[in-house]
Amino acid sequence: MSDVVVSETQPQRVTPGKVAGFAGQLAAAGITARSETPLPGLAAELVLQPADWGGAARVAAESALRWSALWGDHRPPAIAVMALLFGADGHLLLRTEVAEESPELPSQAPFFVAAGRPERHLRDMLGVRFDAPDARRWTRHQGWDEGVFPLRGDFPAAGTPAAKTPPDAGYPFAAVAGEGVYEIPVGPVHAGIIEPGHFRFQAVGETILRMEEHLGYVHKGIEKIAVGRDLDRLSRLAARVSGDSTVAHGWAACQAAERALGVEPPPRALALRAILAERERIANHLGDIGAICNDVGFAFAQVQMTRLRELWQRRNLELFGHRLLMDRVVPGGVACDLETGQLPAFREEIAFLRGEMEELLPLLLEYPSLQDRLRGTGVLPPKEARRLGALGCVGRASGLRDDLRRDAPYAPYDRLAIEVPDCLDGDVAGRVRVRGEEVLVSLGLLEKLLQQLPEGPQRADCPAPGREVEGLGLVEGWRGETVAYLRLDAEGRVLRYFPRDPSWLTWPALEVLLGDVIVPDFPVCNKSVNGSYSGHDL
Amino acid sequence: MFRIYDKIRRTGRLTEALPPAGDKVAKLGAACQKEVAARFGGSLAIRMVDAGSCNGCELEMHALNNPFYDIERFGIHFVASPRHADLLLVTGVVSRHMQEALERTFAATPAPKLVVAMGDCAGCGGEFGTSYASCGPVENVIPVDAVIPGCPPTPVQLLQGILELLRKS
């Protein structure tokens, strides 16, 4: 593991479809699409007629593309709607436009399950209606009225909230009836130190028949309050979309801005961003491995992993000035640096953690009474992972190995060989193993990045563009593919910011992998997925 | 099994003498322990509520339980229900969607109770402020006894903040 290489013998278990030629496939299906010069970072961009929105998704599903993200942008008198798809050769952006007074579109959810909740979010936030089978509200609880849409231009960010927002008691959960079936409502306030959300269990005895998530409790209006910010204040907001992914979201937002402005961050800044991102990946995986083991009562792993994580975070503070690395990624580069004198200690730290992990991982992965609890628990079969488009280590533990660092590389990963660990078991044990292996891979990447650390400045200027521009950021965060869409005005102020956390694609996986799991195993299954509530609720 | 015991033996105790934070943690902790003993019969039960945080504060709260800080040795522990709690540790701005849940959690906590707003969001609104979606800082929704600033506060700052509150209340 000391050297990171792409193994020729690794099976390429990645999204198989290709973006190139997709326009031709659409044409063969009778759908005309206008090809546009793609935004930087994309492989292709197509403009569709609204009526073809669903049909294009059908063709994309047949072509085995992976569905990635959906968002809208109010540009009176129209609402622009964009969907992002991923193929083995890069990302494809689909665009269409609907009139603001009758914003209706065919749903993509019948062809991509993953589109369901984003479409409901778009309806709640912008009023775009989809003819989807599940037309329930999603992000909106009782915080604002039905029929008004916070992301419309005429909706003030302050809104007109009531002094007291009532609880969302009437959310229409799907019902399961039958002899002996009972419901357990859990949340939004949970028992542990964890974010709020509601889980509705239908169980028979100890066995979960069905679990339904109700999220949106920590909706803070991120998309709305981004509007009007300059880029520095945008990057501070992006750093707080999900605190555990502060580097990933910060990088995605800044990358979107830089691509929109045509700014190239200095090579040293990009290398430092990657160093920050790998440090974030390692910290989170360490925390998760410990917490997962702790949820089945194996305190040894929790103590060891939290120990390593704390040491790692202290070094974050020492080297970069923040334990979680917040606000280190800034528009045009980074707000930190590494001095040559710091490198030997950094290398020692890498070697130390590798030694610890090489000792601890086999211990955990072979310890029978731990594995007895983790193997076969919370299985997400590979077929389901692909159907849902599951990202990050959740996807990889179920054989879906997409990783933008390798598959759609951006600097500095484009000059590094990236090994992507995976397995086909799809259980909690698999997700622990993949996390552990990802830590080792990231340690190797850190070594490479330190070896090749370019000299030069840490930051480039981000001048006002002088005209309206848009850009897309695509970064592999520790949870997986992290997306940011940005539209800026002539002064470089935000007109639209949409961050898509990978959790949108993994929360639905949690519902699926709970089939036949016993209620007491819910916490360990939940932890093994570890979706971000904040990153999802926005 | 032996390898696990061996690893435990070789890891040793971390909870002492880990400079530079070690000293500070031990001192702070001892002071906390004294206050907890005097006012809470030796045991301070904390219930955390995320009312709309980015989850950064939660990560640092978790860290208080790691072997370096091991906050339980000072008689301070996190509990699963507000009904068992002496102190509510609230993070984040209060999202509109969490307003009622926070009020109910506050109501479910037996008096006398303390409320600590952890982090800049809970204390003054932070990056999110007040909007259609956010009630702003915690004091806009329930009474707050102390604010621990920071984004997020470090474990040491968190311990310090709790100690200051215990001393003044």
Side-chain angles (χ1 to χ4, degrees):
Chain A
M1 276 296 186
S2 61
D3 209 5
V4 179
V5 290
V6 175
S7 158
E8 294 300 323
T9 57
Q10 275 184 350
Q12 293 297 306
R13 289 196 290 255
V14 293
T15 295
K18 290 269 173 67
V19 161
F22 182 67
Q25 284 158 345
L26 282 181
I31 297 172
T32 39
R34 193 177 77 241
S35 206
E36 291 274 322
T37 312
L39 290 174
L42 293 178
E45 193 174 315
L46 296 170
V47 181
L48 294 163
Q49 292 299 316
D52 293 328
W53 193 249
R58 192 192 66 240
V59 177
E62 284 162 3
S63 312
L65 297 179
R66 175 168 62 74
W67 195 94
S68 172
L70 171 78
W71 64 94
D73 185 4
H74 191 197
R75 301 169 186 177
I79 297 172
V81 176
M82 285 157 264
L84 188 69
L85 294 150
F86 178 77
D89 52 347
H91 286 89
L92 161 73
L93 187 69
L94 299 178
R95 293 180 188 261
T96 193
E97 241 180 42
V98 288
E100 62 182 3
E101 65 271 14
S102 58
E104 281 175 17
L105 273 180
S107 171
Q108 299 191 332
F111 314 105
F112 291 105
V113 190
R117 287 176 182 175
E119 286 181 355
R120 291 161 69 188
H121 176 74
L122 190 49
R123 200 263 325 275
D124 288 352
M125 301 303 293
L126 262 167
V128 180
R129 292 185 295 274
F130 293 88
D131 60 349
D134 188 348
R136 293 174 296 167
R137 65 178 185 276
W138 180 243
T139 305
R140 182 178 70 82
H141 291 190
Q142 304 295 324
W144 64 94
D145 292 334
E146 190 173 2
V148 295
F149 308 105
L151 289 182
R152 293 278 182 107
D154 53 0
F155 185 101
T160 49
K164 191 165 162 146
T165 300
D168 197 23
Y171 182 77
F173 287 99
V176 172
E179 199 177 333
V181 178
Y182 64 99
E183 276 202 348
I184 316 171
V186 175
V189 179
H190 299 293
I193 300 174
I194 181 173
E195 299 175 78
H198 184 95
F199 303 111
R200 184 63 58 97
F201 296 89
Q202 278 121 5
V204 171
E206 272 207 314
T207 307
I208 299 168
L209 286 180
R210 194 172 171 282
M211 188 280 281
E212 188 176 344
E213 296 153 2
H214 182 210
L215 303 175
Y217 285 91
V218 283
H219 175 68
K220 299 179 280 290
I222 287 174
E223 292 171 272
K224 186 70 181 183
I225 63 174
V227 177
R229 289 187 177 225
D230 61 27
L231 288 181
D232 284 331
R233 290 184 60 228
L234 171 78
S235 76
R236 284 188 62 83
L237 183 65
R240 285 154 187 83
V241 167
S242 180
D244 53 17
S245 304
T246 182
V247 176
H249 278 291
W251 192 348
C254 289
Q255 192 187 66
E258 288 146 10
R259 284 174 173 174
L261 299 173
V263 170
E264 191 65 45
R268 186 174 181 85
L270 292 168
L272 284 165
R273 281 183 183 178
I275 289 171
L276 297 171
E278 297 311 320
R279 290 193 70 95
E280 176 170 275
R281 194 181 321 278
I282 288 170
N284 281 293
H285 284 340
L286 292 176
D288 277 0
I289 294 169
I292 291 166
C293 295
N294 195 50
D295 273 346
V296 292
F298 193 57
F300 166 77
Q302 166 83 339
V303 170
Q304 294 292 340
M305 291 298 153
T306 56
R307 161 184 151 252
L308 297 174
R309 186 188 155 106
E310 175 66 21
L311 291 171
W312 197 250
Q313 277 191 262
R314 285 182 183 187
R315 192 55 74 89
N316 280 348
L317 180 67
E318 223 173 283
L319 291 173
F320 301 108
H322 195 284
R323 281 169 54 91
L324 299 176
L325 305 173
M326 271 180 179
D327 305 321
R328 305 302 105 171
V329 179
V330 292
V334 290
C336 55
D337 201 8
L338 274 176
E339 284 158 34
T340 319
Q342 292 175 314
L343 297 184
F346 196 155
R347 290 205 177 91
E348 268 171 40
E349 183 200 21
I350 293 170
F352 166 76
L353 185 58
R354 172 177 288 115
E356 289 288 319
M357 291 304 278
E358 282 176 348
E359 181 187 8
L360 283 165
L361 280 176
L363 247 161
L364 304 185
L365 298 175
E366 291 162 17
Y367 191 54
S369 58
L370 176 67
Q371 289 300 314
D372 182 51
R373 297 284 284 110
L374 303 185
R375 283 191 198 165
T377 301
V379 176
L380 181 70
K383 209 175 81 197
E384 289 293 301
R386 189 150 296 188
R387 185 176 72 89
L388 300 169
L391 294 173
C393 55
V394 178
R396 281 171 216 135
S398 295
L400 185 53
R401 290 176 69 232
D402 287 356
D403 188 321
L404 299 192
R405 292 174 299 170
R406 181 197 56 195
D407 306 327
Y410 45 100
Y413 294 109
D414 50 357
R415 59 181 173 80
L416 293 166
I418 313 282
E419 193 183 8
V420 183
D422 76 333
C423 72
L424 289 167
D425 301 343
D427 53 5
V428 175
R431 289 187 280 279
V432 170
R433 184 155 74 244
V434 168
R435 277 179 171 89
E437 288 170 5
E438 283 191 19
V439 169
L440 295 175
V441 170
S442 289
L443 287 171
L445 286 172
L446 283 175
E447 271 169 355
K448 277 271 159 62
L449 286 160
L450 289 183
Q451 264 169 30
Q452 307 169 3
L453 190 62
E455 293 298 323
Q458 299 100 270
R459 197 169 178 183
D461 278 343
C462 287
R467 64 191 165 84
E468 206 179 290
V469 290
E470 55 179 349
L472 205 57
L474 296 159
V475 164
E476 186 73 19
W478 74 272
R479 275 200 183 86
E481 178 193 67
T482 306
V483 183
Y485 171 77
L486 204 55
R487 186 163 63 94
L488 303 173
D489 69 10
E491 277 84 53
R493 290 185 188 279
V494 176
L495 292 168
R496 178 79 173 102
Y497 168 53
F498 172 70
R500 203 280 278 121
D501 192 88
S503 304
W504 279 96
L505 287 297
T506 54
W507 276 117
L510 177 63
E511 287 185 350
V512 172
L513 61 84
L514 283 178
D516 283 336
V517 165
I518 56 171
V519 176
D521 273 355
F522 170 72
V524 70
C525 290
N526 188 20
K527 194 71 216 178
S528 76
V529 174
N530 193 8
S532 168
Y533 300 69
S534 180
H536 170 279
D537 294 354
L538 296 176
Chain B
M1 199 70 211
F2 286 117
R3 280 193 297 164
I4 288 179
Y5 285 142
D6 186 45
K7 182 69 185 170
I8 292 171
R9 181 186 63 77
R10 281 183 291 120
T11 303
R13 278 188 63 171
L14 299 169
T15 31
E16 285 178 351
L18 251 153
D23 243 13
K24 205 167 177 184
V25 170
K27 266 189 208 150
L28 269 175
C32 274
Q33 196 166 18
K34 210 172 120 198
E35 298 296 325
V36 168
R39 288 156 201 276
F40 293 92
S43 158
L44 175 71
I46 298 180
R47 171 65 236 170
M48 75 78 59
V49 185
D50 174 347
S53 90
C54 74
N55 76 30
C57 284
E58 282 62 37
L59 294 173
E60 293 299 59
M61 213 185 290
H62 270 295
L64 275 183
N65 283 318
N66 77 35
F68 291 97
Y69 305 104
D70 189 20
I71 190 177
E72 292 208 3
R73 69 191 152 132
F74 307 128
I76 302 171
H77 50 277
F78 289 91
V79 293
S81 165
R83 297 190 192 282
H84 307 156
D86 306 304
L87 186 154
L88 289 182
L89 188 55
V90 187
T91 62
V93 286
V94 183
S95 76
R96 306 261 169 211
H97 294 169
M98 277 300 287
Q99 185 181 10
E100 175 76 17
L102 179 61
E103 286 175 1
R104 286 191 195 177
T105 306
F106 181 71
T109 311
K113 53 193 161 191
L114 296 169
V115 175
V116 174
M118 174 187 177
D120 290 343
C121 293
C124 66
E127 207 56 43
F128 303 110
T130 307
S131 72
Y132 79 94
S134 158
C135 304
V138 176
E139 65 175 6
N140 290 357
V141 177
I142 56 171
V144 169
D145 297 291
V147 170
I148 303 175
C151 189
T154 63
V156 169
Q157 287 167 335
L158 192 47
L159 209 49
Q160 180 89 50
I162 293 170
L163 175 64
E164 278 167 23
L165 171 64
L166 294 180
R167 279 191 172 150
K168 77 167 194 201
S169 63

